[in-house]
Amino acid sequence: MLSRLRSDIQCILDRDPAARSTWEVVTCYPGLHAIWLQRPAHWCWTHGLKWLGRFISHMGRWLTGIEIHPGAVIGQRVFIDHGMGVVIGETAVVGDGCTIYHGVTLGGTSLYKGSKRHPTLGQNVVVAAGAKVLGGFEVGDNAKIGSNAVVIKPVPAGATAVGIPARIIPSREGSSADVTEVGDMQPSPVADAASAQPMRPAAIVSPCSGQEGPFTAYGVTQEDDPLSQAMRGLVDGAACHEEQLAKLWTVVEKLSEQLSARDCVPAKDERGQHFETDKIKQILGK
């Protein structure tokens, strides 16, 4: 029991650069309090004390602003950062090492009692602020859910889901699609004046491999989502067609001059407008 409590505290110190001491984490982190209250609530729920489990859950919601149904299964080293407005449904499963930010909903889309209505998060999943994961599907290990994304279908392991409805950016070579550069996460050279310890880069130890690596939050990617990439492909294709048509018209005009048949290019087919590639790319951004 004590080792699990220490693990709960340490995972916050590892992932939140604002956490300065164990005492601060124990006394000032509502996400930790919500996890600790959910455990006795879950025990009551699974041992037939349904009302007591719901009451403990209700008190936890009142104290922390985080609502975790006592029937939900919460793994080890789960960190609910900030936490206000988080809702985790009855049949949800949150795997080891997951990180959940404020405003997240792990909700259901079915009204059938006894069915798997809420999502299952694998290990080391990051669900960013405001995201909604709705349905009884699985989110694979090491996946990222971007801020304010609405996920209504399974997410493969290592992928990043962004947008409304969420679109999947697949993993590359087995690693996460979250490509936030490590250089962006280096600690500030200025130590916190109120702390004897300098700020450190956030890190996480995977429960599967035991390897320590950089922890990247919020599912931020340097690539566009697949829809934007498809739109840019269409724009580039249209621009290429525009160029080819212009060359064809130039050849036709030259042939008309040589044959002294100016009317072989009908006036109604001459175009006064052109495909504005640069303008459309500016609208799409990047």
Side-chain angles (χ1 to χ4, degrees), residues 84-105:
M84 182 62 69
V86 168
V87 177
I88 300 177
E90 177 185 5
T91 62
V93 178
V94 180
D96 297 342
C98 289
T99 303
I100 299 174
Y101 289 89
H102 50 284
V104 166
T105 298

Side-chain angles (χ1 to χ4, degrees), residues 45-211:
W45 184 266
T46 56
H47 287 76
L49 303 173
K50 304 292 187 180
W51 178 87
L52 183 57
R54 286 302 300 265
F55 183 75
I56 296 173
S57 173
H58 178 69
M59 292 302 296
R61 176 181 181 273
W62 183 69
L63 291 170
T64 65
I66 300 169
E67 182 172 347
I68 307 176
H69 193 283
V73 178
I74 308 297
Q76 300 183 27
R77 298 179 301 279
V78 173
F79 177 28
I80 302 177
D81 197 2
H82 304 295
M84 182 62 69
V86 168
V87 177
I88 300 177
E90 177 185 5
T91 62
V93 178
V94 180
D96 297 342
C98 289
T99 303
I100 299 174
Y101 289 89
H102 50 284
V104 166
T105 298
L106 303 183
T109 57
S110 170
L111 298 179
Y112 296 103
K113 292 184 178 181
S115 63
K116 182 70 168 73
R117 309 189 310 275
H118 304 88
T120 295
L121 306 186
Q123 295 183 342
N124 301 323
V125 173
V126 175
V127 187
K132 315 300 177 188
V133 187
L134 308 175
F137 51 81
E138 293 187 5
V139 177
D141 296 347
N142 301 305
K144 303 287 195 304
I145 309 298
S147 297
N148 294 316
V150 178
V151 183
I152 55 176
K153 61 183 179 181
V155 180
T160 297
V162 294
I164 303 175
R167 294 176 289 275
I168 306 300
I169 302 176
S171 60
R172 295 176 296 181
E173 298 180 357
S175 61
S176 172
D178 186 321
V179 292
T180 306
E181 293 182 357
V182 177
D184 296 337
M185 300 176 292
Q186 295 301 318
S188 170
V190 180
D192 192 329
S195 173
Q197 297 180 350
M199 293 182 65
R200 59 194 176 283
I204 182 172
V205 179
S206 170
C208 299
S209 63
Q211 297 295 323

Side-chain angles (χ1 to χ4, degrees), residues 36-47:
W36 284 355
L37 285 169
Q38 196 273 342
R39 287 172 185 162
H42 182 70
W43 186 92
C44 291
W45 184 266
T46 56
H47 287 76

